[in-house]
Amino acid sequence: MAAISSSEPKVKLSSSGICHDQTSASFNRTKNYQAFDSVAICIEQGGRLPKAKTKSIDKATDEAIEQGRAFVALYDRSDWPHWLDSDKDCQNTRHELLIKTSTKAVAFKSDKECNVLSGQWYDPYSNETFTLSTDLDLDHIVPLKFAHGRGASLWSRNQKALFANDSENLILAQASLNRQKGAKGISDWLPPNHQYRCEYITHFNKVMSKYNLAYIPSEQRIVNRLVKACSKAT
């Protein structure tokens, strides 16, 4: 089966009838194919999705039903350009924030001074101080996947890049805690440092408001209770 275009295809319909886009592990391995501009067109022409992709859609649909929100397009982290080097100085978003927030002079991994090796950073999530950059992750306070399901799925790639690199939505945190948090919102995860929780809730809500993101009703009820509890504590 020959490709219908000599340019790099966006979607390949394999000889076995499966539509592979560029996120598919089989995309580059598929040599005999018909090319299409989108998965939707490929399916219209008789193709089908890989089983893994179908399972992902089923899972996302179930999550939407469980959470009481509309189904949105599948989240793909590659759609959210992050850790950019916008000023072309070889230091990306992560390393610029490491430099900016270190409480002592940083040391770099090489003479090019692109990547930070060590410094001193306070992590409010854990209430601990770290000196090695590898002990820290750059956390999106409002996670990308969380935003995706609450209004951001319709954003352009440029809007997603702005959100993913917005310093107001970034904080250096202990790597293990960032991974524990995952894509959870404040109704499902709060920092273990109790003294920081109300500030975290306020910060999370500020970012949600800045980007006109909306909680689903079940989340909003919990968020309202958390905000009320914090107001009583001050």
Side-chain angles (χ1 to χ4, degrees), residues 82-85 90-101 109 114-118 121 132-139 164-165 170-175 178-179:
H82 53 285
W83 308 170
L84 301 178
D85 179 16
C90 90
Q91 295 166 355
N92 66 22
T93 305
R94 170 180 164 80
H95 290 280
E96 287 184 345
L97 197 62
L98 283 165
I99 294 168
K100 182 179 179 180
T101 58
K109 293 182 180 180
C114 296
N115 299 327
V116 175
L117 174 65
S118 62
W121 301 275
L132 292 177
S133 65
T134 52
D135 289 333
L136 299 163
D137 277 353
L138 188 51
D139 177 47
N165 294 274
L170 294 171
I171 190 168
L172 289 161
Q174 184 177 8
N178 177 52
R179 293 159 200 179

mmCIF file of all heavy atoms in Angstrom, residues 82-85 90-101 109 114-118 121 132-139 164-165 170-175 178-179:
data_model
loop_
_atom_site.group_PDB
_atom_site.id
_atom_site.type_symbol
_atom_site.label_atom_id
_atom_site.label_comp_id
_atom_site.label_asym_id
_atom_site.label_seq_id
_atom_site.Cartn_x
_atom_site.Cartn_y
_atom_site.Cartn_z
ATOM 1 N N HIS A 82 7.175 22.302 27.386
ATOM 2 C CA HIS A 82 7.590 22.777 28.701
ATOM 3 C C HIS A 82 9.105 22.721 28.847
ATOM 4 O O HIS A 82 9.797 22.085 28.067
ATOM 5 C CB HIS A 82 6.906 21.977 29.821
ATOM 6 C CG HIS A 82 7.067 20.494 29.694
ATOM 7 N ND1 HIS A 82 6.382 19.743 28.772
ATOM 8 C CD2 HIS A 82 7.843 19.620 30.371
ATOM 9 C CE1 HIS A 82 6.721 18.479 28.891
ATOM 10 N NE2 HIS A 82 7.624 18.369 29.853
ATOM 11 N N TRP A 83 9.577 23.441 29.818
ATOM 12 C CA TRP A 83 11.008 23.638 30.070
ATOM 13 C C TRP A 83 11.682 24.188 28.801
ATOM 14 O O TRP A 83 12.637 23.643 28.286
ATOM 15 C CB TRP A 83 11.686 22.367 30.538
ATOM 16 C CG TRP A 83 11.064 21.638 31.694
ATOM 17 C CD1 TRP A 83 11.409 20.403 32.133
ATOM 18 C CD2 TRP A 83 10.026 22.076 32.575
ATOM 19 N NE1 TRP A 83 10.643 20.046 33.204
ATOM 20 C CE2 TRP A 83 9.784 21.056 33.506
ATOM 21 C CE3 TRP A 83 9.236 23.232 32.670
ATOM 22 C CZ2 TRP A 83 8.811 21.148 34.508
ATOM 23 C CZ3 TRP A 83 8.268 23.324 33.665
ATOM 24 C CH2 TRP A 83 8.080 22.298 34.564
ATOM 25 N N LEU A 84 11.103 25.315 28.342
ATOM 26 C CA LEU A 84 11.613 25.965 27.135
ATOM 27 C C LEU A 84 12.801 26.867 27.459
ATOM 28 O O LEU A 84 12.956 27.327 28.590
ATOM 29 C CB LEU A 84 10.506 26.800 26.480
ATOM 30 C CG LEU A 84 9.246 26.047 26.053
ATOM 31 C CD1 LEU A 84 8.230 27.028 25.463
ATOM 32 C CD2 LEU A 84 9.578 24.948 25.047
ATOM 33 N N ASP A 85 13.594 27.127 26.456
ATOM 34 C CA ASP A 85 14.685 28.100 26.560
ATOM 35 C C ASP A 85 14.319 29.277 25.663
ATOM 36 O O ASP A 85 14.885 29.462 24.583
ATOM 37 C CB ASP A 85 16.009 27.467 26.133
ATOM 38 C CG ASP A 85 17.182 28.444 26.194
ATOM 39 O OD1 ASP A 85 17.037 29.504 26.834
ATOM 40 O OD2 ASP A 85 18.222 28.167 25.584
ATOM 41 N N CYS A 90 20.656 28.915 26.710
ATOM 42 C CA CYS A 90 20.952 27.511 27.028
ATOM 43 C C CYS A 90 20.387 27.072 28.372
ATOM 44 O O CYS A 90 20.486 25.897 28.729
ATOM 45 C CB CYS A 90 22.452 27.183 26.922
ATOM 46 S SG CYS A 90 23.413 27.427 28.439
ATOM 47 N N GLN A 91 19.796 27.992 29.135
ATOM 48 C CA GLN A 91 19.166 27.636 30.409
ATOM 49 C C GLN A 91 17.650 27.580 30.204
ATOM 50 O O GLN A 91 17.019 28.601 29.888
ATOM 51 C CB GLN A 91 19.512 28.658 31.493
ATOM 52 C CG GLN A 91 20.991 28.698 31.843
ATOM 53 C CD GLN A 91 21.364 29.917 32.654
ATOM 54 O OE1 GLN A 91 20.540 30.806 32.894
ATOM 55 N NE2 GLN A 91 22.627 29.993 33.066
ATOM 56 N N ASN A 92 17.059 26.393 30.375
ATOM 57 C CA ASN A 92 15.619 26.279 30.172
ATOM 58 C C ASN A 92 14.858 26.724 31.419
ATOM 59 O O ASN A 92 15.454 27.161 32.415
ATOM 60 C CB ASN A 92 15.241 24.854 29.742
ATOM 61 C CG ASN A 92 15.503 23.813 30.824
ATOM 62 O OD1 ASN A 92 15.593 24.119 32.017
ATOM 63 N ND2 ASN A 92 15.617 22.547 30.405
ATOM 64 N N THR A 93 13.538 26.609 31.359
ATOM 65 C CA THR A 93 12.685 27.091 32.450
ATOM 66 C C THR A 93 13.094 26.507 33.790
ATOM 67 O O THR A 93 13.166 27.218 34.806
ATOM 68 C CB THR A 93 11.214 26.730 32.174
ATOM 69 O OG1 THR A 93 10.824 27.234 30.894
ATOM 70 C CG2 THR A 93 10.299 27.315 33.245
ATOM 71 N N ARG A 94 13.360 25.222 33.827
ATOM 72 C CA ARG A 94 13.731 24.561 35.087
ATOM 73 C C ARG A 94 14.996 25.158 35.666
ATOM 74 O O ARG A 94 15.054 25.516 36.858
ATOM 75 C CB ARG A 94 13.905 23.057 34.865
ATOM 76 C CG ARG A 94 14.534 22.333 36.059
ATOM 77 C CD ARG A 94 14.689 20.839 35.823
ATOM 78 N NE ARG A 94 15.598 20.250 36.780
ATOM 79 C CZ ARG A 94 15.263 19.915 38.031
ATOM 80 N NH1 ARG A 94 14.038 20.140 38.477
ATOM 81 N NH2 ARG A 94 16.152 19.373 38.832
ATOM 82 N N HIS A 95 16.030 25.275 34.860
ATOM 83 C CA HIS A 95 17.321 25.726 35.382
ATOM 84 C C HIS A 95 17.326 27.227 35.690
ATOM 85 O O HIS A 95 18.019 27.663 36.610
ATOM 86 C CB HIS A 95 18.433 25.326 34.425
ATOM 87 C CG HIS A 95 18.655 23.841 34.411
ATOM 88 N ND1 HIS A 95 19.378 23.188 35.388
ATOM 89 C CD2 HIS A 95 18.189 22.874 33.582
ATOM 90 C CE1 HIS A 95 19.369 21.887 35.149
ATOM 91 N NE2 HIS A 95 18.655 21.672 34.053
ATOM 92 N N GLU A 96 16.538 27.994 34.964
ATOM 93 C CA GLU A 96 16.415 29.412 35.300
ATOM 94 C C GLU A 96 15.755 29.593 36.662
ATOM 95 O O GLU A 96 16.143 30.466 37.438
ATOM 96 C CB GLU A 96 15.637 30.155 34.215
ATOM 97 C CG GLU A 96 16.455 30.338 32.940
ATOM 98 C CD GLU A 96 15.733 31.153 31.882
ATOM 99 O OE1 GLU A 96 14.493 31.336 32.008
ATOM 100 O OE2 GLU A 96 16.396 31.601 30.928
ATOM 101 N N LEU A 97 14.765 28.735 36.959
ATOM 102 C CA LEU A 97 14.104 28.832 38.265
ATOM 103 C C LEU A 97 15.027 28.321 39.373
ATOM 104 O O LEU A 97 15.009 28.854 40.490
ATOM 105 C CB LEU A 97 12.796 28.044 38.253
ATOM 106 C CG LEU A 97 11.828 28.397 39.394
ATOM 107 C CD1 LEU A 97 11.401 29.863 39.279
ATOM 108 C CD2 LEU A 97 10.587 27.508 39.351
ATOM 109 N N LEU A 98 15.821 27.310 39.075
ATOM 110 C CA LEU A 98 16.801 26.845 40.061
ATOM 111 C C LEU A 98 17.773 27.972 40.418
ATOM 112 O O LEU A 98 18.100 28.179 41.597
ATOM 113 C CB LEU A 98 17.576 25.647 39.505
ATOM 114 C CG LEU A 98 16.852 24.296 39.512
ATOM 115 C CD1 LEU A 98 17.572 23.299 38.616
ATOM 116 C CD2 LEU A 98 16.736 23.737 40.935
ATOM 117 N N ILE A 99 18.223 28.712 39.422
ATOM 118 C CA ILE A 99 19.145 29.829 39.657
ATOM 119 C C ILE A 99 18.448 30.941 40.440
ATOM 120 O O ILE A 99 18.999 31.466 41.423
ATOM 121 C CB ILE A 99 19.673 30.386 38.312
ATOM 122 C CG1 ILE A 99 20.536 29.337 37.603
ATOM 123 C CG2 ILE A 99 20.486 31.657 38.533
ATOM 124 C CD1 ILE A 99 20.847 29.677 36.157
ATOM 125 N N LYS A 100 17.253 31.275 40.036
ATOM 126 C CA LYS A 100 16.516 32.397 40.632
ATOM 127 C C LYS A 100 16.163 32.164 42.093
ATOM 128 O O LYS A 100 16.188 33.102 42.903
ATOM 129 C CB LYS A 100 15.243 32.654 39.822
ATOM 130 C CG LYS A 100 14.411 33.824 40.312
ATOM 131 C CD LYS A 100 13.173 34.011 39.431
ATOM 132 C CE LYS A 100 12.305 35.160 39.920
ATOM 133 N NZ LYS A 100 11.099 35.327 39.061
ATOM 134 N N THR A 101 15.848 30.920 42.447
ATOM 135 C CA THR A 101 15.330 30.651 43.791
ATOM 136 C C THR A 101 16.358 30.108 44.772
ATOM 137 O O THR A 101 16.051 29.955 45.963
ATOM 138 C CB THR A 101 14.147 29.660 43.716
ATOM 139 O OG1 THR A 101 14.587 28.446 43.093
ATOM 140 C CG2 THR A 101 13.005 30.250 42.898
ATOM 141 N N LYS A 109 26.833 22.124 36.081
ATOM 142 C CA LYS A 109 27.367 20.828 35.699
ATOM 143 C C LYS A 109 28.547 20.947 34.749
ATOM 144 O O LYS A 109 29.348 20.018 34.624
ATOM 145 C CB LYS A 109 26.269 19.978 35.061
ATOM 146 C CG LYS A 109 25.166 19.574 36.044
ATOM 147 C CD LYS A 109 24.122 18.688 35.377
ATOM 148 C CE LYS A 109 23.037 18.288 36.378
ATOM 149 N NZ LYS A 109 21.995 17.427 35.760
ATOM 150 N N CYS A 114 24.820 25.797 31.631
ATOM 151 C CA CYS A 114 23.450 25.560 31.163
ATOM 152 C C CYS A 114 22.597 24.880 32.225
ATOM 153 O O CYS A 114 21.442 25.247 32.437
ATOM 154 C CB CYS A 114 23.470 24.712 29.894
ATOM 155 S SG CYS A 114 24.273 25.486 28.482
ATOM 156 N N ASN A 115 23.186 23.881 32.881
ATOM 157 C CA ASN A 115 22.440 23.052 33.828
ATOM 158 C C ASN A 115 22.994 23.176 35.243
ATOM 159 O O ASN A 115 24.197 23.030 35.462
ATOM 160 C CB ASN A 115 22.491 21.591 33.393
ATOM 161 C CG ASN A 115 21.864 21.378 32.030
ATOM 162 O OD1 ASN A 115 20.906 22.063 31.667
ATOM 163 N ND2 ASN A 115 22.393 20.433 31.273
ATOM 164 N N VAL A 116 22.100 23.441 36.175
ATOM 165 C CA VAL A 116 22.486 23.633 37.568
ATOM 166 C C VAL A 116 22.720 22.285 38.240
ATOM 167 O O VAL A 116 21.909 21.358 38.127
ATOM 168 C CB VAL A 116 21.397 24.415 38.325
ATOM 169 C CG1 VAL A 116 21.734 24.505 39.811
ATOM 170 C CG2 VAL A 116 21.226 25.812 37.728
ATOM 171 N N LEU A 117 23.815 22.196 38.967
ATOM 172 C CA LEU A 117 24.153 20.978 39.716
ATOM 173 C C LEU A 117 23.730 21.088 41.174
ATOM 174 O O LEU A 117 23.084 20.193 41.724
ATOM 175 C CB LEU A 117 25.652 20.704 39.633
ATOM 176 C CG LEU A 117 26.192 19.551 40.491
ATOM 177 C CD1 LEU A 117 25.603 18.226 40.012
ATOM 178 C CD2 LEU A 117 27.715 19.513 40.444
ATOM 179 N N SER A 118 24.100 22.193 41.810
ATOM 180 C CA SER A 118 23.825 22.329 43.244
ATOM 181 C C SER A 118 23.568 23.778 43.613
ATOM 182 O O SER A 118 23.840 24.704 42.851
ATOM 183 C CB SER A 118 25.000 21.784 44.072
ATOM 184 O OG SER A 118 26.182 22.527 43.796
ATOM 185 N N TRP A 121 17.882 25.149 48.190
ATOM 186 C CA TRP A 121 16.479 25.447 47.915
ATOM 187 C C TRP A 121 15.589 24.947 49.047
ATOM 188 O O TRP A 121 15.765 23.829 49.537
ATOM 189 C CB TRP A 121 16.037 24.775 46.620
ATOM 190 C CG TRP A 121 16.832 25.212 45.424
ATOM 191 C CD1 TRP A 121 16.622 26.311 44.643
ATOM 192 C CD2 TRP A 121 17.985 24.555 44.880
ATOM 193 N NE1 TRP A 121 17.558 26.385 43.656
ATOM 194 C CE2 TRP A 121 18.415 25.318 43.767
ATOM 195 C CE3 TRP A 121 18.685 23.401 45.224
ATOM 196 C CZ2 TRP A 121 19.512 24.962 43.007
ATOM 197 C CZ3 TRP A 121 19.790 23.037 44.468
ATOM 198 C CH2 TRP A 121 20.195 23.815 43.364
ATOM 199 N N LEU A 132 21.048 19.510 46.211
ATOM 200 C CA LEU A 132 21.270 18.928 44.890
ATOM 201 C C LEU A 132 20.033 19.131 44.022
ATOM 202 O O LEU A 132 18.913 18.801 44.442
ATOM 203 C CB LEU A 132 21.585 17.434 44.997
ATOM 204 C CG LEU A 132 22.922 17.061 45.640
ATOM 205 C CD1 LEU A 132 23.048 15.538 45.733
ATOM 206 C CD2 LEU A 132 24.088 17.642 44.839
ATOM 207 N N SER A 133 20.235 19.637 42.828
ATOM 208 C CA SER A 133 19.102 19.930 41.950
ATOM 209 C C SER A 133 18.330 18.667 41.581
ATOM 210 O O SER A 133 17.117 18.711 41.347
ATOM 211 C CB SER A 133 19.576 20.628 40.680
ATOM 212 O OG SER A 133 20.403 19.781 39.908
ATOM 213 N N THR A 134 19.019 17.527 41.536
ATOM 214 C CA THR A 134 18.363 16.276 41.156
ATOM 215 C C THR A 134 17.379 15.779 42.210
ATOM 216 O O THR A 134 16.575 14.885 41.936
ATOM 217 C CB THR A 134 19.416 15.176 40.892
ATOM 218 O OG1 THR A 134 20.304 15.101 42.010
ATOM 219 C CG2 THR A 134 20.210 15.483 39.631
ATOM 220 N N ASP A 135 17.439 16.338 43.405
ATOM 221 C CA ASP A 135 16.487 15.960 44.449
ATOM 222 C C ASP A 135 15.145 16.667 44.286
ATOM 223 O O ASP A 135 14.188 16.365 44.999
ATOM 224 C CB ASP A 135 17.045 16.301 45.841
ATOM 225 C CG ASP A 135 18.199 15.392 46.240
ATOM 226 O OD1 ASP A 135 18.239 14.254 45.740
ATOM 227 O OD2 ASP A 135 19.056 15.831 47.032
ATOM 228 N N LEU A 136 15.107 17.608 43.345
ATOM 229 C CA LEU A 136 13.919 18.442 43.168
ATOM 230 C C LEU A 136 13.300 18.256 41.791
ATOM 231 O O LEU A 136 14.003 18.089 40.794
ATOM 232 C CB LEU A 136 14.277 19.920 43.346
ATOM 233 C CG LEU A 136 14.823 20.323 44.713
ATOM 234 C CD1 LEU A 136 15.503 21.680 44.623
ATOM 235 C CD2 LEU A 136 13.697 20.356 45.742
ATOM 236 N N ASP A 137 11.976 18.291 41.756
ATOM 237 C CA ASP A 137 11.241 18.367 40.493
ATOM 238 C C ASP A 137 10.656 19.765 40.384
ATOM 239 O O ASP A 137 10.362 20.404 41.409
ATOM 240 C CB ASP A 137 10.092 17.354 40.467
ATOM 241 C CG ASP A 137 10.543 15.966 40.054
ATOM 242 O OD1 ASP A 137 11.724 15.814 39.665
ATOM 243 O OD2 ASP A 137 9.714 15.042 40.123
ATOM 244 N N LEU A 138 10.467 20.219 39.165
ATOM 245 C CA LEU A 138 9.766 21.485 38.946
ATOM 246 C C LEU A 138 8.296 21.136 38.773
ATOM 247 O O LEU A 138 7.893 20.557 37.761
ATOM 248 C CB LEU A 138 10.321 22.197 37.714
ATOM 249 C CG LEU A 138 9.814 23.622 37.465
ATOM 250 C CD1 LEU A 138 9.945 24.486 38.710
ATOM 251 C CD2 LEU A 138 10.571 24.252 36.305
ATOM 252 N N ASP A 139 7.518 21.435 39.793
ATOM 253 C CA ASP A 139 6.115 21.020 39.832
ATOM 254 C C ASP A 139 5.199 22.089 39.257
ATOM 255 O O ASP A 139 5.360 23.283 39.542
ATOM 256 C CB ASP A 139 5.708 20.729 41.286
ATOM 257 C CG ASP A 139 4.241 20.362 41.395
ATOM 258 O OD1 ASP A 139 3.782 19.535 40.598
ATOM 259 O OD2 ASP A 139 3.553 20.905 42.286
ATOM 260 N N ALA A 164 2.407 26.020 30.604
ATOM 261 C CA ALA A 164 3.395 25.035 31.078
ATOM 262 C C ALA A 164 4.676 25.676 31.572
ATOM 263 O O ALA A 164 5.416 25.065 32.350
ATOM 264 C CB ALA A 164 3.707 24.051 29.953
ATOM 265 N N ASN A 165 4.953 26.917 31.146
ATOM 266 C CA ASN A 165 6.194 27.592 31.537
ATOM 267 C C ASN A 165 5.952 28.841 32.374
ATOM 268 O O ASN A 165 6.881 29.615 32.620
ATOM 269 C CB ASN A 165 6.997 27.946 30.288
ATOM 270 C CG ASN A 165 7.481 26.722 29.543
ATOM 271 O OD1 ASN A 165 8.522 26.165 29.845
ATOM 272 N ND2 ASN A 165 6.705 26.285 28.560
ATOM 273 N N LEU A 170 4.645 27.431 38.829
ATOM 274 C CA LEU A 170 5.776 26.526 39.007
ATOM 275 C C LEU A 170 6.388 26.653 40.393
ATOM 276 O O LEU A 170 6.483 27.755 40.936
ATOM 277 C CB LEU A 170 6.855 26.814 37.955
ATOM 278 C CG LEU A 170 6.475 26.533 36.503
ATOM 279 C CD1 LEU A 170 7.554 27.061 35.565
ATOM 280 C CD2 LEU A 170 6.249 25.052 36.277
ATOM 281 N N ILE A 171 6.794 25.526 40.945
ATOM 282 C CA ILE A 171 7.455 25.537 42.243
ATOM 283 C C ILE A 171 8.401 24.335 42.314
ATOM 284 O O ILE A 171 8.083 23.249 41.817
ATOM 285 C CB ILE A 171 6.421 25.486 43.393
ATOM 286 C CG1 ILE A 171 7.090 25.738 44.739
ATOM 287 C CG2 ILE A 171 5.655 24.175 43.399
ATOM 288 C CD1 ILE A 171 6.089 25.980 45.872
ATOM 289 N N LEU A 172 9.562 24.533 42.887
ATOM 290 C CA LEU A 172 10.516 23.433 43.072
ATOM 291 C C LEU A 172 10.112 22.646 44.314
ATOM 292 O O LEU A 172 9.950 23.213 45.389
ATOM 293 C CB LEU A 172 11.937 23.989 43.210
ATOM 294 C CG LEU A 172 12.519 24.567 41.911
ATOM 295 C CD1 LEU A 172 13.694 25.488 42.206
ATOM 296 C CD2 LEU A 172 12.941 23.439 40.967
ATOM 297 N N ALA A 173 9.958 21.356 44.134
ATOM 298 C CA ALA A 173 9.485 20.511 45.235
ATOM 299 C C ALA A 173 10.242 19.190 45.240
ATOM 300 O O ALA A 173 10.769 18.756 44.212
ATOM 301 C CB ALA A 173 7.990 20.248 45.083
ATOM 302 N N GLN A 174 10.283 18.572 46.400
ATOM 303 C CA GLN A 174 10.929 17.269 46.527
ATOM 304 C C GLN A 174 10.373 16.327 45.453
ATOM 305 O O GLN A 174 9.155 16.196 45.282
ATOM 306 C CB GLN A 174 10.658 16.695 47.922
ATOM 307 C CG GLN A 174 11.376 15.390 48.188
ATOM 308 C CD GLN A 174 11.134 14.891 49.612
ATOM 309 O OE1 GLN A 174 10.313 15.435 50.345
ATOM 310 N NE2 GLN A 174 11.850 13.864 49.999
ATOM 311 N N ALA A 175 11.265 15.688 44.734
ATOM 312 C CA ALA A 175 10.864 14.877 43.581
ATOM 313 C C ALA A 175 9.823 13.823 43.946
ATOM 314 O O ALA A 175 8.845 13.619 43.217
ATOM 315 C CB ALA A 175 12.093 14.228 42.960
ATOM 316 N N ASN A 178 6.371 15.382 44.324
ATOM 317 C CA ASN A 178 5.800 15.785 43.043
ATOM 318 C C ASN A 178 5.205 14.574 42.335
ATOM 319 O O ASN A 178 4.118 14.653 41.745
ATOM 320 C CB ASN A 178 6.875 16.434 42.172
ATOM 321 C CG ASN A 178 6.365 16.805 40.800
ATOM 322 O OD1 ASN A 178 5.356 17.476 40.651
ATOM 323 N ND2 ASN A 178 7.058 16.342 39.779
ATOM 324 N N ARG A 179 5.889 13.455 42.408
ATOM 325 C CA ARG A 179 5.397 12.249 41.743
ATOM 326 C C ARG A 179 4.214 11.641 42.494
ATOM 327 O O ARG A 179 3.314 11.045 41.892
ATOM 328 C CB ARG A 179 6.548 11.248 41.580
ATOM 329 C CG ARG A 179 7.585 11.791 40.590
ATOM 330 C CD ARG A 179 8.953 11.203 40.700
ATOM 331 N NE ARG A 179 9.939 12.083 40.072
ATOM 332 C CZ ARG A 179 11.233 11.843 40.027
ATOM 333 N NH1 ARG A 179 11.721 10.755 40.587
ATOM 334 N NH2 ARG A 179 12.056 12.708 39.442
#
